Amino acid sequence: MNKFLQTLFLFITLMSYSQTIQSPDNQLELKTGLTNSGQLFYSLSYKTKAIIKPSLLGLNMKNTIALASNFEIINTTTTTVNEKWNPVLGEQKEITNHYKQLVVELFQKSTQRKLNVEFRLFNEGLAFRYVFPAQPELNYFVISDELSQFALTGNHKAFWVPGDYDSQEYAYNETNLADVDVTSLDMNNGIGMKGPMSKTRIQSPVMMKTAEGLYLNIFEAAVVNYPIMHLDLNVNTFEMQSHLVPNVLGEKAYLQAPFQSPWRTIMVSDDARALLTSKMILNLNEPCKIDDTTWIKPMKYVGIWWEMHVGKATWDYAGSQNAQMAQDAELKPTGKHGATTENTKKYIDFAAKHGFDGVLVEGWNVGWEDWFGNWKENVFDFVTPYPDFDVEEVQRYAESKGVQMIMHHETSGSVANYERRLDRAFSFMKKHNYNAVKTGYVGKIIPRGEWHDGQTMVNHFNWVVERAAEYKIMVNSHESSRPTGVHRTYPNYIAAEAARGNEFNAWSVGNPPMHETILPFTRFLGGPMDYTPGIFEIKMSHYDAAKKEQVHTTLAKQLALYVTIYSPLQMAADLPENYERYADAFQFIKDVELDWDETVILEAEPGDYVTIARKTKGKESWFLGAITDENPRNTELTLNFLSPGKKYKATLYQDAKEAHWENNPKAYSIKTIEVTSKTKLKLNLAAGGGTAISFFPIE
């Protein structure tokens, strides 16, 4: 018998399946049981094909025997749940939550400890978590490692970013699993705040495609009081194991029973579109905990932001003179400060003229001269404006124009300082009629040694949202840990960044054309993203002839992103004067909605293309976005998502024939036609291009 068969024979004899359940549609099958040494394991198959080979589960605990072996199964329970619920804001009006659940109750004789593992099998995937019942043996304990394994069946193609504890702001890599190598990446391609990484550690979610054409995704849901999960990959066996982001002491989580861990999720389908329509991550989160949600509303906004990225203005008021600011408090303006009362009024006028809900102002408060990279704790107080920003006058003017102001709280990573001042900051907001805040966490975290993805910061991000709900404030977090569906529980968590956004195109090598075709399969699974689309002036040489940077899309694709990127908070990110120059294309941004009754994924292939249609909540209008990667694409769509028997005016915003993301990105055309649900449309997408379409019913 050769070595492989000997190993296989030994592996099988050590495994004893005791439970099997199928998904509601019987396409997925979960098997679980104990090894001879009492280790819990599971496996997953799809349409009888192995997806996850037998993989072990368990946890290491500090100063005690691991909860990983010597178990006996004392009870199992199976249930079926099939229910519906309505999100406050979302991609569809009603969500179905349908799964079969298996609870395996474990007992460890040597320690007298109990541990339950809950499995939920949906039509689109598997979720499992660890549940600690109340027990004296676990009144207080420390997790030092989580041992959840994901034994993949082959060298799948993967879309991944490195396992950086401090940042998700990377362009995605497309390689086979065997070729994952973090050390081969350009680590200076970004903002220079990188946490420790290992050669083959990657972040979740990781999107994969098998040689047989199956689509897999490994992620997590409902991360509360627990660190973010990264994945350690064995490039030889294609096994992954959970890797929890540590704290300053190297420990992972401080817990008390009763407690339940986040869900670990494995999504699988032979149709890529099924992963994008799935609401599995949302369904694994707790229902809404806010009784009155009438104040939570979608927002389309403009703001003083992009002009700083392109060098037209600055966040700071006094430039390098601020070294003595604390001593003499005499700020001398540089003349390029963006957040002035006068400039803010111009944005308010623009928002009112074009029907936008809000205006964001960054750089309004004292502290920007000394905020970045200095690891100082009390840079911002969140209530003191610069001399040229009159808070009361801005409030009066915005209210007179019917425009909502959006607050900006940059913490410079000083979380303890922000928490001390949070109630004063929120009270200041309410006093001046700000009902939404954009938070920022650029820089190393204070307390020193903590990471953006560790338990301490996860708790902070969640706590800010919970506290904001008490003030009826909506939160848009930037540089936070990536969301995992918690916006179901707190829908005032209206959006987050937590990925490489559009601003990277202004001052780095930018986001490759495939970037936005990958995000729906990765970052967007956890929640809405404030990507800041809508850049019309593509090349940064417009502002400085020496600049080579540019947005890696066509103008038409920037429009399509308003549909392919779901968010109830969307920014028209470019400068007002650029929208005035392309007023006909700007009309789509003015028209597009943010909250939906229905979403239809028409086409999807990670890294290549995505086409999505969405129906406006409570209305008959539809909007469609189609985007492609660096390759031009021709496609034909049947508009059978439209209501039968109705006629619609369709306005197509599309790439011109000569358009190209690099050579001719602003070449676009607009045409209006009459369509019905039987109409077939041919779309021609340029390299790095897209098409945006509005459909309004003809009465």
Side-chain angles (χ1 to χ4, degrees):
M1 186 181 295
N2 64 39
K3 185 175 181 180
F4 172 78
L5 292 178
Q6 286 177 329
T7 303
L8 180 62
F9 178 76
L10 177 62
F11 189 72
I12 293 173
T13 59
L14 292 177
M15 298 289 176
S16 175
Y17 288 109
S18 60
Q19 291 288 323
T20 301
I21 60 170
Q22 283 82 30
S23 58
D25 64 2
N26 295 318
Q27 299 299 307
L28 280 166
E29 183 174 76
L30 164 73
K31 292 183 178 181
T32 185
L34 294 179
T35 68
N36 287 351
S37 60
Q39 295 174 285
L40 184 68
F41 69 93
Y42 75 100
S43 65
L44 181 68
S45 62
Y46 175 71
K47 295 183 179 180
T48 72
K49 182 173 182 58
I51 300 300
I52 301 293
K53 298 182 294 185
S55 301
L56 297 175
L57 300 175
L59 301 120
N60 280 340
M61 304 172 69
K62 183 180 179 181
N63 298 328
T64 186
I65 297 173
L67 276 170
S69 61
N70 299 311
F71 283 124
E72 62 179 57
I73 296 176
I74 58 175
N75 190 35
T76 60
T77 306
T78 57
T79 55
T80 299
V81 172
N82 191 359
E83 60 186 8
K84 297 181 185 295
W85 59 280
N86 303 109
V88 176
L89 303 171
E91 297 179 89
Q92 54 196 66
K93 182 178 181 180
E94 184 177 72
I95 291 176
T96 298
N97 185 23
H98 191 193
Y99 61 85
K100 291 184 180 179
Q101 178 169 283
L102 169 66
V103 179
V104 181
E105 299 178 33
L106 302 169
F107 181 70
Q108 192 177 49
K109 283 185 177 181
S110 57
T111 61
Q112 300 293 296
R113 291 178 300 193
K114 297 177 182 178
L115 174 67
N116 299 341
V117 178
E118 293 183 3
F119 297 94
R120 289 184 184 177
L121 202 53
F122 299 79
N123 288 341
E124 62 268 42
L126 170 68
F128 63 85
R129 68 178 175 182
Y130 302 94
V131 179
F132 302 87
Q135 52 195 297
E137 292 78 9
L138 293 175
N139 183 50
Y140 168 77
F141 59 103
V142 179
I143 298 295
S144 56
D145 280 301
E146 182 183 318
L147 307 176
S148 303
Q149 292 182 351
F150 308 87
L152 301 168
T153 59
N155 188 19
H156 307 329
K157 180 170 71 173
F159 300 88
W160 57 274
V161 296
D164 186 338
Y165 295 165
D166 254 352
S167 177
Q168 309 89 6
E169 296 181 316
Y170 291 91
Y172 279 89
N173 302 277
E174 180 181 349
T175 71
N176 286 345
L177 291 172
D179 298 320
V180 169
D181 183 357
V182 171
T183 61
S184 67
L185 306 180
D186 177 8
M187 289 306 172
N188 295 315
N189 178 17
I191 52 179
M193 298 181 303
K194 308 307 176 190
M197 289 176 280
S198 72
K199 183 175 181 179
T200 56
R201 181 179 306 138
I202 58 179
Q203 295 193 32
S204 72
V206 56
M207 183 68 197
M208 293 167 283
K209 185 177 182 180
T210 73
E212 297 79 17
L214 294 180
Y215 299 89
L216 308 179
N217 185 284
I218 296 178
F219 193 24
E220 59 182 336
V223 180
V224 177
N225 193 25
Y226 208 77
I228 292 295
M229 180 183 74
H230 293 195
L231 296 163
D232 284 326
L233 169 67
N234 185 318
V235 295
N236 298 311
T237 64
F238 315 123
E239 295 176 352
M240 294 182 182
Q241 180 167 301
S242 56
H243 177 97
L244 303 182
V245 174
N247 64 13
V248 65
L249 300 176
E251 295 164 349
K252 307 303 173 64
Y254 301 119
L255 304 174
Q256 286 181 295
F259 178 79
Q260 53 199 28
S261 77
W263 295 93
R264 281 62 186 97
T265 63
I266 307 163
M267 299 173 67
V268 56
S269 179
D270 53 13
D271 186 343
R273 297 175 299 174
L275 274 64
L276 302 190
T277 58
S278 171
K279 293 296 174 281
M280 177 174 156
I281 301 298
L282 267 182
N283 280 327
L284 291 165
N285 280 264
E286 294 294 317
C288 179
K289 291 186 177 182
I290 302 174
D291 294 331
D292 173 21
T293 60
T294 56
W295 52 276
I296 301 173
K297 300 181 183 298
M299 293 187 73
K300 196 183 299 180
Y301 72 105
V302 295
I304 300 174
W305 176 76
W306 187 247
E307 59 189 73
M308 282 83 96
H309 285 286
V310 300
K312 180 182 177 182
T314 62
W315 281 274
D316 60 276
Y317 174 83
S320 60
Q321 302 171 61
N322 192 58
Q324 314 235 345
M325 185 182 70
Q327 286 75 27
D328 55 29
E330 293 182 3
L331 302 176
K332 297 179 181 180
T334 62
K336 292 187 67 178
H337 185 219
T340 67
T341 303
E342 180 184 4
N343 197 27
T344 302
K345 285 184 175 182
K346 292 178 181 178
Y347 277 84
I348 292 171
D349 288 340
F350 183 82
K353 176 182 177 181
H354 295 288
F356 283 75
D357 304 294
V359 172
L360 166 74
V361 179
E362 294 197 10
W364 68 276
N365 56 326
V366 169
W368 285 91
E369 286 82 7
D370 204 24
W371 75 286
F372 181 72
N374 294 324
W375 228 3
K376 293 185 178 180
E377 189 160 356
N378 298 306
V379 174
F380 296 106
D381 68 8
F382 312 103
V383 296
T384 304
Y386 279 126
D388 58 353
F389 187 81
D390 187 329
V391 177
E392 285 74 19
E393 175 59 18
V394 167
Q395 176 187 357
R396 184 201 66 77
Y397 194 77
E399 289 176 352
S400 73
K401 296 287 186 175
V403 173
Q404 186 73 49
M405 295 302 298
I406 300 174
M407 178 56 71
H408 183 232
H409 288 163
E410 176 53 60
T411 68
S412 64
S414 184
V415 176
N417 177 55
Y418 190 41
E419 290 184 352
R420 285 193 298 268
R421 301 175 185 273
L422 189 63
D423 283 296
R424 280 172 285 178
F426 283 170
S427 295
F428 181 85
M429 284 180 58
K430 298 304 288 187
K431 176 183 177 181
H432 297 289
N433 201 27
Y434 288 77
N435 296 320
V437 60
K438 174 183 177 181
T439 59
Y441 297 87
V442 175
K444 295 180 178 181
I445 296 299
I446 303 172
R448 287 165 172 78
E450 298 295 342
W451 306 106
H452 285 74
D453 281 357
Q455 182 188 29
T456 295
M457 287 306 298
V458 167
N459 288 345
H460 169 80
F461 298 133
N462 289 337
W463 181 75
V464 169
V465 171
E466 292 177 32
R467 194 66 171 156
E470 298 178 27
Y471 285 86
K472 295 188 176 180
I473 288 173
M474 297 185 292
V475 177
N476 166 28
S477 65
H478 279 232
E479 297 86 35
S480 62
S481 57
R482 75 283 188 282
T484 56
V486 178
H487 63 289
R488 177 188 179 186
T489 312
Y490 287 95
N492 65 313
Y493 195 4
I494 192 171
E497 184 190 37
R500 190 178 176 93
N502 217 7
E503 74 271 16
F504 274 80
N505 290 305
W507 35 258
S508 76
V509 297
N511 305 335
M514 73 173 181
H515 185 64
E516 295 91 352
T517 72
I518 300 171
L519 287 171
F521 294 93
T522 51
R523 163 63 184 82
F524 298 167
L525 295 177
M529 181 179 178
D530 186 29
Y531 187 74
T532 61
I535 303 302
F536 282 9
E537 195 53 67
I538 302 292
K539 294 182 179 290
M540 299 306 106
S541 57
H542 174 81
Y543 307 99
D544 182 344
K547 288 187 174 182
K548 303 298 182 182
E549 296 84 1
Q550 71 163 94
V551 178
H552 291 57
T553 75
T554 64
L555 188 151
K557 184 175 179 178
Q558 286 290 307
L559 297 179
L561 293 177
Y562 285 93
V563 183
T564 62
I565 295 176
Y566 165 66
S567 179
L569 179 76
Q570 289 280 25
M571 186 182 198
D574 211 336
L575 308 184
E577 55 264 34
N578 292 336
Y579 290 133
E580 298 285 5
R581 287 190 293 116
Y582 301 99
D584 55 352
F586 183 50
Q587 186 62 44
F588 182 83
I589 300 178
K590 294 166 62 175
D591 288 340
V592 69
E593 298 284 354
L594 305 177
D595 198 17
W596 312 102
D597 270 344
E598 186 178 353
T599 292
V600 181
I601 312 299
L602 299 173
E603 304 172 302
E605 181 65 28
D608 291 338
Y609 56 84
V610 175
T611 303
I612 299 177
R614 304 188 192 268
K615 182 179 182 295
T616 306
K617 182 168 284 188
K619 299 179 183 178
E620 190 56 44
S621 57
W622 285 77
F623 295 86
L624 182 148
I627 63 174
T628 187
D629 61 359
E630 68 279 3
N631 300 304
R633 184 166 187 268
N634 300 323
T635 185
E636 184 176 80
L637 305 175
T638 300
L639 306 182
N640 52 14
F641 53 85
L642 299 174
S643 296
K646 286 186 177 292
K647 294 181 180 179
Y648 296 80
K649 182 182 77 170
T651 303
L652 286 74
Y653 302 79
Q654 52 195 344
D655 297 313
K657 290 182 179 180
E658 66 276 15
H660 186 283
W661 72 267
E662 187 173 24
N663 302 324
N664 196 9
K666 293 191 292 183
Y668 66 90
S669 66
I670 302 173
K671 69 176 182 179
T672 300
I673 59 175
E674 185 177 296
V675 299
T676 70
S677 61
K678 297 181 179 179
T679 301
K680 293 185 177 181
L681 279 184
K682 292 184 178 180
L683 303 183
N684 301 306
L685 280 61
T691 298
I693 308 176
S694 61
F695 300 90
F696 292 105
I698 299 173
E699 301 298 339

